[in-house]
């Protein structure tokens, strides 16, 4: 199908959908509305998406990226990407989830899916991204994004020149390992399964 209401699919509609959502955040920022992008993936090298992120940053969009592997974007460059931060986390588990959160003017939308932002995923494979509808699930996925951003054990921060340095803990700041938190959360949920409230 060429047109779907909720799914974005590679190689048909994925890239246009992503560019549209990034541009929407830039428009919200220019209008003085809440605008932010959080994304977690394995690779980011698609040139048009990188350019769109740069333009969104220049418009005032706060962008947080957790990119485990290759990243062709450079964060923190004045006048280009000063509103972008990039981290990489390589830990015990081979993290493979892709999460995309758009602030959407104050009504956040959170998506899960399979593609990295790179040509092979957007043009040469069948991949999909879908929005999360259940409020409790949205809340938990946002919590997971927070865990990744809080990580100060395995997280490495991309520098202006593209190199990485381990995130330094502030004095008195407790250590926080995102993947260890996944295990602890799994055990908590196993002992007391959450009650479904979104039906």
């Amino acid at each position: 199908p060429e047109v779907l209401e909720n799914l974005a699919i590679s190689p048909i509609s994925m890239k246009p959908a992503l560019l549209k959502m990034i541009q929407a955040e830039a428009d919200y920022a220019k209008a003085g509305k809440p605008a932010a992008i959080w994304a977690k993936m394995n690779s980011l090298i698609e040139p048009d998406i990188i350019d769109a992120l740069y333009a969104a940053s220049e418009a005032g969009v706060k962008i947080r990226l957790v990119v485990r592997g290759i990243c062709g974007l450079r964060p923190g460059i004045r006048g280009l990407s000063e509103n972008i931060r990039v981290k990489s986390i390589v830990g015990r588990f081979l993290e493979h989830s892709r999460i995309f959160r758009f602030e959407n003017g104050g009504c956040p939308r959170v998506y899960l899916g399979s593609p990295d932002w790179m040509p092979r995923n957007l043009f040469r494979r069948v991949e999909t991204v879908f929005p999360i509808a259940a409020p409790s699930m949205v809340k938990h996925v946002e919590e997971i994004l927070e865990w990744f951003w809080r990580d100060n054990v395995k997280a490495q921060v991309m520098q202006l020149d593209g190199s990485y340095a381990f995130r330094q803990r502030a004095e008195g700041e407790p250590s926080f390992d995102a993947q260890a938190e996944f295990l602890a959360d799994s055990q908590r949920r196993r002992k007391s399964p959450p009650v479904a409230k979104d039906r």
Side-chain angles (χ1 to χ4, degrees):
E2 293 185 5
V3 179
L4 293 170
E5 291 183 6
N6 292 311
L7 293 181
I9 299 176
S10 296
I12 299 169
S13 60
M14 182 71 70
K15 180 181 171 182
L18 292 172
L19 291 175
K20 182 178 179 180
M21 289 187 283
I22 295 169
Q23 181 60 51
E25 294 302 314
D27 293 340
Y28 284 127
K30 292 174 184 176
K33 297 181 179 180
I37 298 170
W38 278 28
K40 178 189 175 294
M41 67 198 84
N42 289 347
S43 300
L44 169 56
I45 59 171
E46 208 290 314
D48 291 337
I49 289 183
I50 290 173
D51 287 343
L53 291 170
Y54 284 151
S57 171
E58 291 182 77
V61 180
K62 301 296 183 183
I63 301 172
R64 293 178 173 182
L65 303 173
V66 179
V67 184
R68 190 188 73 200
I70 186 171
C71 180
L73 175 150
R74 293 293 176 265
I77 299 172
R78 184 179 297 277
L80 179 67
S81 59
E82 52 195 308
N83 287 312
I84 303 177
R85 299 292 177 267
V86 178
K87 293 183 179 181
S88 173
I89 299 175
V90 179
R92 171 183 174 188
F93 304 111
L94 186 63
E95 272 296 328
H96 214 59
S97 57
R98 279 80 167 186
I99 306 171
F100 312 114
R101 182 189 185 277
F102 297 89
E103 187 63 32
N104 195 37
C107 300
R109 299 203 73 187
V110 178
Y111 298 81
L112 300 180
S114 59
D116 289 317
W117 291 355
M118 57 193 308
R120 74 178 185 188
N121 300 85
L122 300 178
F123 310 131
R124 299 193 296 274
R125 293 182 177 179
V126 176
E127 308 264 10
T128 188
V129 162
F130 59 92
I132 304 175
S136 63
M137 183 63 71
V138 169
K139 182 178 178 181
H140 184 53
V141 173
E142 289 180 327
E143 184 179 36
I144 289 171
L145 285 173
E146 288 281 0
W147 292 345
F148 275 110
W149 205 252
R150 283 177 57 196
D151 191 298
N152 56 19
V153 175
K154 302 289 177 57
Q156 298 186 61
V157 180
M158 182 185 278
Q159 310 300 302
L160 291 178
D161 63 356
S163 63
Y164 286 86
F166 279 101
R167 175 186 170 318
Q168 299 299 309
R169 290 200 293 270
E171 185 175 352
E173 179 185 3
S175 62
F176 185 86
D177 184 321
Q179 292 192 349
E181 185 63 24
F182 291 156
L183 289 174
D185 182 67
S186 172
Q187 292 301 312
R188 289 192 297 267
R189 289 170 180 271
R190 183 168 171 262
K191 291 176 182 177
S192 75
V195 178
K197 298 180 180 180
D198 298 319
R199 292 184 178 180

